[in-house]
Amino acid sequence: MAASPAHAVKPFFPRNPPEAAEPAKPAKQKTMGPASHLPLALQEARKRLLAGKRVSYRELQALADAKDGIGAFKLAERIQKQGDPKLATDALHYFAIAAYHDRGYAVRHMMDILGNDSLELNPAHVESAEAALRREARKGNDQAVEGLIRLYSEGRRFGDKRDELESLLASGKGKKSGDTAFKLAVLLLSDRDRTPEKTEQASRFLTIAKENGSIGMKAAASNLLAQLEPKSSETNMEVMP
Protein backbone atom coordinates (compact mmCIF):
# COMPACT_ATOMS: atom_id res chain seq x y z
CA MET A 1 0.00 0.00 0.00
CA ALA A 2 1.40 3.35 -0.96
CA ALA A 3 2.16 5.70 1.89
CA SER A 4 -0.06 8.69 2.20
CA PRO A 5 1.56 11.98 1.43
CA ALA A 6 2.73 13.81 4.58
CA HIS A 7 0.53 16.82 3.95
CA ALA A 8 -2.55 14.60 3.81
CA VAL A 9 -2.10 13.10 7.28
CA LYS A 10 -3.70 14.98 10.18
CA PRO A 11 -1.52 14.86 13.30
CA PHE A 12 -3.25 13.45 16.41
CA PHE A 13 -1.89 16.29 18.58
CA PRO A 14 -1.25 19.48 16.64
CA ARG A 15 2.21 20.84 17.27
CA ASN A 16 0.96 24.39 17.70
CA PRO A 17 -2.67 24.21 18.92
CA PRO A 18 -4.63 27.43 18.50
CA GLU A 19 -4.95 29.39 21.71
CA ALA A 20 -8.39 29.16 23.25
CA ALA A 21 -10.17 32.50 23.23
CA GLU A 22 -10.68 33.87 26.73
CA PRO A 23 -14.34 34.31 27.64
CA ALA A 24 -15.43 37.92 27.56
CA LYS A 25 -15.57 39.44 31.04
CA PRO A 26 -19.03 40.61 32.01
CA ALA A 27 -19.36 44.36 32.09
CA LYS A 28 -19.44 45.74 35.60
CA GLN A 29 -22.83 47.03 36.53
CA LYS A 30 -23.00 50.40 38.11
CA THR A 31 -24.20 50.26 41.69
CA MET A 32 -27.40 52.14 42.31
CA GLY A 33 -26.96 53.80 45.67
CA PRO A 34 -29.39 56.12 47.45
CA ALA A 35 -27.71 59.14 45.85
CA SER A 36 -27.39 57.77 42.31
CA HIS A 37 -30.31 59.88 41.09
CA LEU A 38 -28.66 63.12 42.23
CA PRO A 39 -26.57 65.39 40.02
CA LEU A 40 -22.82 65.00 40.58
CA ALA A 41 -22.58 68.31 42.46
CA LEU A 42 -25.24 67.18 44.94
CA GLN A 43 -23.61 63.76 45.26
CA GLU A 44 -20.42 65.50 46.33
CA ALA A 45 -22.34 67.69 48.77
CA ARG A 46 -23.96 64.58 50.23
CA LYS A 47 -20.58 62.91 50.68
CA ARG A 48 -19.35 65.97 52.60
CA LEU A 49 -22.51 65.90 54.69
CA LEU A 50 -22.00 62.26 55.63
CA ALA A 51 -18.34 62.97 56.41
CA GLY A 52 -19.31 65.73 58.82
CA LYS A 53 -17.87 68.45 56.63
CA ARG A 54 -19.39 71.84 55.91
CA VAL A 55 -22.44 71.93 53.63
CA SER A 56 -24.13 75.22 52.83
CA TYR A 57 -27.79 75.93 53.53
CA ARG A 58 -28.44 76.20 49.80
CA GLU A 59 -26.88 72.79 49.20
CA LEU A 60 -28.98 71.25 51.96
CA GLN A 61 -32.11 72.76 50.48
CA ALA A 62 -31.18 71.44 47.04
CA LEU A 63 -30.66 67.96 48.51
CA ALA A 64 -33.97 68.09 50.35
CA ASP A 65 -35.85 69.31 47.30
CA ALA A 66 -34.30 66.43 45.35
CA LYS A 67 -35.97 64.06 47.88
CA ASP A 68 -32.76 63.05 49.61
CA GLY A 69 -33.68 61.82 53.08
CA ILE A 70 -30.48 62.69 54.92
CA GLY A 71 -30.33 66.12 53.32
CA ALA A 72 -33.95 66.85 54.28
CA PHE A 73 -33.33 65.72 57.87
CA LYS A 74 -30.24 67.87 58.30
CA LEU A 75 -32.02 70.87 56.80
CA ALA A 76 -34.95 70.43 59.21
CA GLU A 77 -32.52 70.25 62.12
CA ARG A 78 -30.80 73.43 60.97
CA ILE A 79 -34.15 75.21 60.71
CA GLN A 80 -35.11 74.11 64.23
CA LYS A 81 -31.87 75.42 65.66
CA GLN A 82 -32.94 78.92 64.66
CA GLY A 83 -35.55 78.72 67.40
CA ASP A 84 -38.21 80.62 65.44
CA PRO A 85 -41.73 79.16 66.03
CA LYS A 86 -42.82 80.54 62.66
CA LEU A 87 -40.35 78.19 60.96
CA ALA A 88 -41.68 75.09 62.73
CA THR A 89 -43.96 74.31 59.79
CA ASP A 90 -40.95 74.32 57.43
CA ALA A 91 -39.07 72.00 59.76
CA LEU A 92 -42.10 69.67 59.83
CA HIS A 93 -42.17 69.70 56.03
CA TYR A 94 -38.54 68.61 55.71
CA PHE A 95 -38.76 66.07 58.55
CA ALA A 96 -41.71 64.56 56.66
CA ILE A 97 -39.63 64.33 53.48
CA ALA A 98 -36.88 62.63 55.49
CA ALA A 99 -39.31 60.13 57.02
CA TYR A 100 -40.94 59.43 53.68
CA HIS A 101 -37.53 58.56 52.26
CA ASP A 102 -36.58 55.95 54.83
CA ARG A 103 -35.33 58.15 57.66
CA GLY A 104 -37.58 56.72 60.36
CA TYR A 105 -35.75 58.59 63.10
CA ALA A 106 -37.39 61.78 61.85
CA VAL A 107 -40.73 60.59 63.29
CA ARG A 108 -39.84 61.63 66.84
CA HIS A 109 -39.11 65.18 65.70
CA MET A 110 -42.34 65.30 63.72
CA MET A 111 -44.36 64.26 66.76
CA ASP A 112 -42.72 66.96 68.87
CA ILE A 113 -43.92 69.57 66.38
CA LEU A 114 -47.37 68.08 65.82
CA GLY A 115 -47.92 67.72 69.55
CA ASN A 116 -47.25 71.39 70.24
CA ASP A 117 -50.62 73.13 69.92
CA SER A 118 -49.04 76.57 70.17
CA LEU A 119 -47.42 76.18 66.76
CA GLU A 120 -49.19 77.31 63.60
CA LEU A 121 -48.64 74.76 60.87
CA ASN A 122 -49.35 74.91 57.16
CA PRO A 123 -52.26 72.51 56.36
CA ALA A 124 -50.34 71.16 53.37
CA HIS A 125 -47.36 70.40 55.62
CA VAL A 126 -49.63 68.67 58.14
CA GLU A 127 -51.13 66.56 55.36
CA SER A 128 -47.71 65.48 54.08
CA ALA A 129 -46.63 64.72 57.66
CA GLU A 130 -49.66 62.46 58.13
CA ALA A 131 -48.84 60.62 54.90
CA ALA A 132 -45.25 60.08 56.04
CA LEU A 133 -46.39 58.85 59.46
CA ARG A 134 -48.86 56.42 57.90
CA ARG A 135 -46.14 55.07 55.63
CA GLU A 136 -43.81 54.54 58.59
CA ALA A 137 -46.64 52.97 60.58
CA ARG A 138 -47.23 50.42 57.80
CA LYS A 139 -43.53 49.57 57.99
CA GLY A 140 -43.90 48.83 61.71
CA ASN A 141 -42.40 52.01 63.17
CA ASP A 142 -43.79 51.96 66.73
CA GLN A 143 -43.32 55.69 67.23
CA ALA A 144 -45.35 56.42 64.12
CA VAL A 145 -48.10 53.99 65.15
CA GLU A 146 -48.37 55.35 68.69
CA GLY A 147 -48.18 58.94 67.45
CA LEU A 148 -50.99 58.45 64.95
CA ILE A 149 -53.13 56.63 67.51
CA ARG A 150 -52.70 59.47 69.99
CA LEU A 151 -53.47 62.22 67.49
CA TYR A 152 -56.38 60.32 65.93
CA SER A 153 -57.91 59.47 69.31
CA GLU A 154 -57.63 63.09 70.46
CA GLY A 155 -58.88 64.48 67.15
CA ARG A 156 -55.91 66.84 66.94
CA ARG A 157 -54.13 68.10 63.83
CA PHE A 158 -55.65 65.53 61.49
CA GLY A 159 -59.31 65.98 62.39
CA ASP A 160 -61.87 63.23 62.93
CA LYS A 161 -60.26 60.01 61.77
CA ARG A 162 -62.22 57.39 63.71
CA ASP A 163 -62.26 54.89 60.85
CA GLU A 164 -58.52 55.19 60.37
CA LEU A 165 -58.03 54.90 64.13
CA GLU A 166 -59.95 51.62 64.31
CA SER A 167 -58.03 50.24 61.35
CA LEU A 168 -54.72 51.25 62.90
CA LEU A 169 -55.60 49.71 66.27
CA ALA A 170 -56.87 46.54 64.63
CA SER A 171 -53.58 46.11 62.77
CA GLY A 172 -51.94 45.35 66.11
CA LYS A 173 -48.66 46.92 65.01
CA GLY A 174 -48.37 49.28 67.96
CA LYS A 175 -47.07 47.83 71.22
CA LYS A 176 -49.91 49.52 73.13
CA SER A 177 -52.66 49.23 70.53
CA GLY A 178 -54.71 46.85 72.67
CA ASP A 179 -54.40 48.98 75.78
CA THR A 180 -55.33 52.12 73.85
CA ALA A 181 -58.37 50.42 72.33
CA PHE A 182 -59.55 49.40 75.80
CA LYS A 183 -59.18 52.95 77.16
CA LEU A 184 -61.14 54.36 74.23
CA ALA A 185 -63.88 51.80 74.78
CA VAL A 186 -64.14 52.75 78.46
CA LEU A 187 -64.37 56.44 77.53
CA LEU A 188 -67.22 55.73 75.15
CA LEU A 189 -69.06 53.53 77.64
CA SER A 190 -68.70 56.07 80.46
CA ASP A 191 -70.68 58.62 78.45
CA ARG A 192 -74.17 58.68 79.97
CA ASP A 193 -75.60 60.11 76.77
CA ARG A 194 -73.92 57.65 74.45
CA THR A 195 -75.72 56.64 71.31
CA PRO A 196 -76.15 53.07 70.03
CA GLU A 197 -73.48 53.90 67.44
CA LYS A 198 -71.01 54.74 70.21
CA THR A 199 -71.87 51.50 72.00
CA GLU A 200 -71.18 49.56 68.82
CA GLN A 201 -67.87 51.38 68.40
CA ALA A 202 -66.96 50.59 72.01
CA SER A 203 -67.66 46.92 71.28
CA ARG A 204 -65.30 47.04 68.32
CA PHE A 205 -62.60 48.65 70.46
CA LEU A 206 -63.09 45.95 73.11
CA THR A 207 -62.74 43.27 70.46
CA ILE A 208 -59.44 44.83 69.38
CA ALA A 209 -58.28 44.93 73.02
CA LYS A 210 -59.28 41.30 73.44
CA GLU A 211 -57.15 40.32 70.44
CA ASN A 212 -54.15 42.63 70.82
CA GLY A 213 -53.97 43.56 74.49
CA SER A 214 -51.91 42.15 77.32
CA ILE A 215 -53.17 39.10 79.25
CA GLY A 216 -54.94 41.22 81.87
CA MET A 217 -56.34 43.56 79.25
CA LYS A 218 -57.74 40.65 77.26
CA ALA A 219 -59.60 39.39 80.33
CA ALA A 220 -61.00 42.83 81.15
CA ALA A 221 -62.13 43.34 77.56
CA SER A 222 -63.84 39.94 77.53
CA ASN A 223 -65.75 40.80 80.71
CA LEU A 224 -66.99 44.10 79.31
CA LEU A 225 -67.97 42.49 76.04
CA ALA A 226 -70.01 39.92 77.95
CA GLN A 227 -71.84 42.72 79.76
CA LEU A 228 -72.67 44.42 76.47
CA GLU A 229 -74.13 41.30 74.90
CA PRO A 230 -77.94 41.21 74.93
CA LYS A 231 -79.37 38.98 77.61
CA SER A 232 -80.50 35.66 76.24
CA SER A 233 -82.34 34.45 79.34
CA GLU A 234 -85.65 35.64 78.05
CA THR A 235 -86.97 33.56 75.18
CA ASN A 236 -89.85 34.36 72.93
CA MET A 237 -92.55 31.72 73.31
CA GLU A 238 -95.12 31.23 70.58
CA VAL A 239 -98.60 31.56 72.08
CA MET A 240 -100.86 28.76 71.00
CA PRO A 241 -104.61 29.48 70.73
Side-chain angles (χ1 to χ4, degrees):
M1 183 181 294
S4 301
H7 66 275
V9 179
K10 291 184 178 180
F12 195 76
F13 293 105
R15 294 180 180 178
N16 296 312
E19 295 182 0
E22 294 184 2
K25 295 181 179 179
K28 292 183 178 180
Q29 296 182 350
K30 294 182 179 179
T31 56
M32 299 295 289
S36 59
H37 68 287
L38 298 174
L40 291 178
L42 289 184
Q43 289 188 33
E44 290 300 321
R46 191 176 188 273
K47 288 179 182 179
R48 283 188 278 113
L49 182 63
L50 293 174
K53 298 179 180 180
R54 183 184 178 281
V55 178
S56 70
Y57 187 95
R58 182 173 295 181
E59 287 175 319
L60 278 181
Q61 194 165 25
L63 282 169
D65 291 340
K67 311 303 181 187
D68 179 70
I70 185 65
F73 182 83
K74 292 297 184 181
L75 178 60
E77 277 192 323
R78 189 171 293 190
I79 291 173
Q80 274 196 321
K81 287 180 180 179
Q82 297 182 42
D84 187 350
K86 294 180 181 179
L87 298 178
T89 188
D90 296 316
L92 176 66
H93 171 62
Y94 287 113
F95 278 134
I97 292 177
Y100 205 85
H101 290 84
D102 302 323
R103 303 292 164 176
Y105 47 78
V107 168
R108 177 173 61 85
H109 301 272
M110 293 169 64
M111 291 308 306
D112 289 341
I113 296 173
L114 291 168
N116 188 342
D117 292 330
S118 66
L119 298 174
E120 293 186 10
L121 304 176
N122 186 318
H125 293 169
V126 173
E127 184 177 351
S128 62
E130 182 185 9
L133 288 173
R134 290 170 70 93
R135 185 175 187 271
E136 279 297 305
R138 287 193 295 269
K139 291 167 60 177
N141 186 317
D142 287 329
Q143 287 185 328
V145 174
E146 298 300 332
L148 281 173
I149 288 174
R150 184 167 72 251
L151 292 174
Y152 282 164
S153 62
E154 295 172 355
R156 296 164 57 198
R157 294 297 186 190
F158 304 137
D160 187 357
K161 295 289 182 75
R162 282 175 290 184
D163 292 340
E164 287 85 348
L165 174 61
E166 285 190 38
S167 177
L168 191 59
L169 289 171
S171 70
K173 289 184 177 180
K175 293 180 180 179
K176 300 179 181 179
S177 59
D179 295 357
T180 302
F182 183 83
K183 292 177 183 177
L184 292 172
V186 171
L187 284 175
L188 289 169
L189 294 174
S190 62
D191 185 1
R192 295 180 180 179
D193 301 323
R194 74 174 183 268
T195 61
E197 290 76 13
K198 287 186 177 180
T199 302
E200 290 179 5
Q201 188 179 32
S203 297
R204 293 195 296 271
F205 282 142
L206 288 173
T207 301
I208 293 171
K210 182 180 177 181
E211 294 175 352
N212 300 326
S214 57
I215 296 177
M217 195 62 67
K218 290 180 179 179
S222 297
N223 291 334
L224 280 179
L225 278 172
Q227 294 178 27
L228 291 177
E229 290 178 358
K231 295 181 179 179
S232 59
S233 57
E234 297 180 0
T235 58
N236 294 325
M237 302 287 291
E238 183 179 355
V239 179
M240 300 295 293

PDB file of all heavy atoms in Angstrom, residues 130 134 151-153 155 158-167:
ATOM      1  N   GLU A 130     -48.784  63.606  57.864  1.00  0.00           N
ATOM      2  CA  GLU A 130     -49.656  62.458  58.129  1.00  0.00           C
ATOM      3  C   GLU A 130     -49.351  61.317  57.160  1.00  0.00           C
ATOM      4  O   GLU A 130     -49.294  60.143  57.560  1.00  0.00           O
ATOM      5  CB  GLU A 130     -51.120  62.870  58.015  1.00  0.00           C
ATOM      6  CG  GLU A 130     -52.080  61.730  58.325  1.00  0.00           C
ATOM      7  CD  GLU A 130     -53.536  62.096  58.092  1.00  0.00           C
ATOM      8  OE1 GLU A 130     -53.789  63.175  57.531  1.00  0.00           O
ATOM      9  OE2 GLU A 130     -54.407  61.294  58.469  1.00  0.00           O
ATOM     10  N   ARG A 134     -48.118  57.623  58.278  1.00  0.00           N
ATOM     11  CA  ARG A 134     -48.861  56.421  57.903  1.00  0.00           C
ATOM     12  C   ARG A 134     -47.955  55.423  57.174  1.00  0.00           C
ATOM     13  O   ARG A 134     -48.061  54.209  57.366  1.00  0.00           O
ATOM     14  CB  ARG A 134     -50.063  56.795  57.035  1.00  0.00           C
ATOM     15  CG  ARG A 134     -51.165  57.525  57.801  1.00  0.00           C
ATOM     16  CD  ARG A 134     -52.214  58.078  56.850  1.00  0.00           C
ATOM     17  NE  ARG A 134     -52.992  57.021  56.262  1.00  0.00           N
ATOM     18  CZ  ARG A 134     -54.152  56.569  56.753  1.00  0.00           C
ATOM     19  NH1 ARG A 134     -54.636  57.093  57.858  1.00  0.00           N
ATOM     20  NH2 ARG A 134     -54.821  55.614  56.151  1.00  0.00           N
ATOM     21  N   LEU A 151     -52.891  61.071  68.170  1.00  0.00           N
ATOM     22  CA  LEU A 151     -53.474  62.220  67.489  1.00  0.00           C
ATOM     23  C   LEU A 151     -54.872  61.906  66.956  1.00  0.00           C
ATOM     24  O   LEU A 151     -55.771  62.755  67.017  1.00  0.00           O
ATOM     25  CB  LEU A 151     -52.565  62.672  66.351  1.00  0.00           C
ATOM     26  CG  LEU A 151     -51.221  63.284  66.784  1.00  0.00           C
ATOM     27  CD1 LEU A 151     -50.349  63.565  65.570  1.00  0.00           C
ATOM     28  CD2 LEU A 151     -51.441  64.564  67.580  1.00  0.00           C
ATOM     29  N   TYR A 152     -55.066  60.700  66.437  1.00  0.00           N
ATOM     30  CA  TYR A 152     -56.381  60.318  65.930  1.00  0.00           C
ATOM     31  C   TYR A 152     -57.402  60.226  67.069  1.00  0.00           C
ATOM     32  O   TYR A 152     -58.549  60.653  66.918  1.00  0.00           O
ATOM     33  CB  TYR A 152     -56.311  58.973  65.207  1.00  0.00           C
ATOM     34  CG  TYR A 152     -55.743  59.036  63.805  1.00  0.00           C
ATOM     35  CD1 TYR A 152     -55.319  57.879  63.152  1.00  0.00           C
ATOM     36  CD2 TYR A 152     -55.621  60.235  63.120  1.00  0.00           C
ATOM     37  CE1 TYR A 152     -54.807  57.921  61.864  1.00  0.00           C
ATOM     38  CE2 TYR A 152     -55.107  60.293  61.833  1.00  0.00           C
ATOM     39  CZ  TYR A 152     -54.703  59.133  61.212  1.00  0.00           C
ATOM     40  OH  TYR A 152     -54.190  59.184  59.940  1.00  0.00           O
ATOM     41  N   SER A 153     -56.983  59.641  68.190  1.00  0.00           N
ATOM     42  CA  SER A 153     -57.915  59.473  69.305  1.00  0.00           C
ATOM     43  C   SER A 153     -58.286  60.808  69.942  1.00  0.00           C
ATOM     44  O   SER A 153     -59.389  60.977  70.466  1.00  0.00           O
ATOM     45  CB  SER A 153     -57.327  58.534  70.367  1.00  0.00           C
ATOM     46  OG  SER A 153     -56.131  59.082  70.913  1.00  0.00           O
ATOM     47  N   GLY A 155     -58.303  63.635  68.182  1.00  0.00           N
ATOM     48  CA  GLY A 155     -58.882  64.484  67.145  1.00  0.00           C
ATOM     49  C   GLY A 155     -58.065  65.723  66.855  1.00  0.00           C
ATOM     50  O   GLY A 155     -58.600  66.722  66.365  1.00  0.00           O
ATOM     51  N   PHE A 158     -55.169  66.217  62.670  1.00  0.00           N
ATOM     52  CA  PHE A 158     -55.652  65.525  61.486  1.00  0.00           C
ATOM     53  C   PHE A 158     -57.172  65.458  61.417  1.00  0.00           C
ATOM     54  O   PHE A 158     -57.718  64.889  60.468  1.00  0.00           O
ATOM     55  CB  PHE A 158     -55.074  64.106  61.430  1.00  0.00           C
ATOM     56  CG  PHE A 158     -53.572  64.060  61.485  1.00  0.00           C
ATOM     57  CD1 PHE A 158     -52.921  63.124  62.261  1.00  0.00           C
ATOM     58  CD2 PHE A 158     -52.814  64.956  60.759  1.00  0.00           C
ATOM     59  CE1 PHE A 158     -51.536  63.074  62.310  1.00  0.00           C
ATOM     60  CE2 PHE A 158     -51.420  64.918  60.799  1.00  0.00           C
ATOM     61  CZ  PHE A 158     -50.791  63.978  61.575  1.00  0.00           C
ATOM     62  N   GLY A 159     -57.864  65.995  62.399  1.00  0.00           N
ATOM     63  CA  GLY A 159     -59.315  65.980  62.388  1.00  0.00           C
ATOM     64  C   GLY A 159     -59.893  64.645  62.830  1.00  0.00           C
ATOM     65  O   GLY A 159     -59.209  63.813  63.438  1.00  0.00           O
ATOM     66  N   ASP A 160     -61.156  64.444  62.528  1.00  0.00           N
ATOM     67  CA  ASP A 160     -61.871  63.228  62.930  1.00  0.00           C
ATOM     68  C   ASP A 160     -61.479  62.078  62.013  1.00  0.00           C
ATOM     69  O   ASP A 160     -61.855  62.032  60.846  1.00  0.00           O
ATOM     70  CB  ASP A 160     -63.383  63.483  62.860  1.00  0.00           C
ATOM     71  CG  ASP A 160     -64.188  62.314  63.428  1.00  0.00           C
ATOM     72  OD1 ASP A 160     -63.580  61.305  63.816  1.00  0.00           O
ATOM     73  OD2 ASP A 160     -65.423  62.423  63.469  1.00  0.00           O
ATOM     74  N   LYS A 161     -60.723  61.156  62.558  1.00  0.00           N
ATOM     75  CA  LYS A 161     -60.261  60.006  61.770  1.00  0.00           C
ATOM     76  C   LYS A 161     -60.582  58.704  62.507  1.00  0.00           C
ATOM     77  O   LYS A 161     -59.736  57.848  62.710  1.00  0.00           O
ATOM     78  CB  LYS A 161     -58.748  60.110  61.520  1.00  0.00           C
ATOM     79  CG  LYS A 161     -58.315  61.289  60.663  1.00  0.00           C
ATOM     80  CD  LYS A 161     -58.732  61.083  59.206  1.00  0.00           C
ATOM     81  CE  LYS A 161     -58.263  62.227  58.315  1.00  0.00           C
ATOM     82  NZ  LYS A 161     -56.837  62.163  58.034  1.00  0.00           N
ATOM     83  N   ARG A 162     -61.859  58.564  62.918  1.00  0.00           N
ATOM     84  CA  ARG A 162     -62.222  57.387  63.714  1.00  0.00           C
ATOM     85  C   ARG A 162     -62.061  56.084  62.929  1.00  0.00           C
ATOM     86  O   ARG A 162     -61.630  55.066  63.490  1.00  0.00           O
ATOM     87  CB  ARG A 162     -63.671  57.534  64.201  1.00  0.00           C
ATOM     88  CG  ARG A 162     -63.824  58.467  65.387  1.00  0.00           C
ATOM     89  CD  ARG A 162     -65.274  58.683  65.760  1.00  0.00           C
ATOM     90  NE  ARG A 162     -65.975  59.479  64.764  1.00  0.00           N
ATOM     91  CZ  ARG A 162     -67.239  59.879  64.878  1.00  0.00           C
ATOM     92  NH1 ARG A 162     -67.939  59.549  65.946  1.00  0.00           N
ATOM     93  NH2 ARG A 162     -67.807  60.603  63.924  1.00  0.00           N
ATOM     94  N   ASP A 163     -62.406  56.111  61.649  1.00  0.00           N
ATOM     95  CA  ASP A 163     -62.264  54.885  60.855  1.00  0.00           C
ATOM     96  C   ASP A 163     -60.795  54.483  60.731  1.00  0.00           C
ATOM     97  O   ASP A 163     -60.445  53.307  60.866  1.00  0.00           O
ATOM     98  CB  ASP A 163     -62.865  55.088  59.463  1.00  0.00           C
ATOM     99  CG  ASP A 163     -64.381  55.250  59.507  1.00  0.00           C
ATOM    100  OD1 ASP A 163     -64.973  54.838  60.527  1.00  0.00           O
ATOM    101  OD2 ASP A 163     -64.948  55.790  58.553  1.00  0.00           O
ATOM    102  N   GLU A 164     -59.947  55.471  60.473  1.00  0.00           N
ATOM    103  CA  GLU A 164     -58.516  55.193  60.373  1.00  0.00           C
ATOM    104  C   GLU A 164     -57.955  54.718  61.713  1.00  0.00           C
ATOM    105  O   GLU A 164     -57.079  53.855  61.760  1.00  0.00           O
ATOM    106  CB  GLU A 164     -57.765  56.436  59.902  1.00  0.00           C
ATOM    107  CG  GLU A 164     -57.967  56.781  58.448  1.00  0.00           C
ATOM    108  CD  GLU A 164     -59.220  57.608  58.212  1.00  0.00           C
ATOM    109  OE1 GLU A 164     -60.050  57.714  59.143  1.00  0.00           O
ATOM    110  OE2 GLU A 164     -59.367  58.157  57.117  1.00  0.00           O
ATOM    111  N   LEU A 165     -58.486  55.290  62.798  1.00  0.00           N
ATOM    112  CA  LEU A 165     -58.028  54.898  64.132  1.00  0.00           C
ATOM    113  C   LEU A 165     -58.349  53.427  64.393  1.00  0.00           C
ATOM    114  O   LEU A 165     -57.494  52.668  64.865  1.00  0.00           O
ATOM    115  CB  LEU A 165     -58.693  55.781  65.190  1.00  0.00           C
ATOM    116  CG  LEU A 165     -58.419  55.408  66.655  1.00  0.00           C
ATOM    117  CD1 LEU A 165     -56.932  55.487  66.959  1.00  0.00           C
ATOM    118  CD2 LEU A 165     -59.205  56.326  67.585  1.00  0.00           C
ATOM    119  N   GLU A 166     -59.578  53.015  64.089  1.00  0.00           N
ATOM    120  CA  GLU A 166     -59.953  51.620  64.307  1.00  0.00           C
ATOM    121  C   GLU A 166     -59.083  50.685  63.468  1.00  0.00           C
ATOM    122  O   GLU A 166     -58.634  49.637  63.943  1.00  0.00           O
ATOM    123  CB  GLU A 166     -61.427  51.416  63.952  1.00  0.00           C
ATOM    124  CG  GLU A 166     -62.386  51.973  64.995  1.00  0.00           C
ATOM    125  CD  GLU A 166     -63.820  51.543  64.729  1.00  0.00           C
ATOM    126  OE1 GLU A 166     -64.028  50.390  64.311  1.00  0.00           O
ATOM    127  OE2 GLU A 166     -64.727  52.363  64.927  1.00  0.00           O
ATOM    128  N   SER A 167     -58.855  51.068  62.227  1.00  0.00           N
ATOM    129  CA  SER A 167     -58.033  50.244  61.346  1.00  0.00           C
ATOM    130  C   SER A 167     -56.612  50.123  61.872  1.00  0.00           C
ATOM    131  O   SER A 167     -56.002  49.044  61.847  1.00  0.00           O
ATOM    132  CB  SER A 167     -58.027  50.842  59.937  1.00  0.00           C
ATOM    133  OG  SER A 167     -57.181  50.111  59.083  1.00  0.00           O
TER     134      SER A 167
END
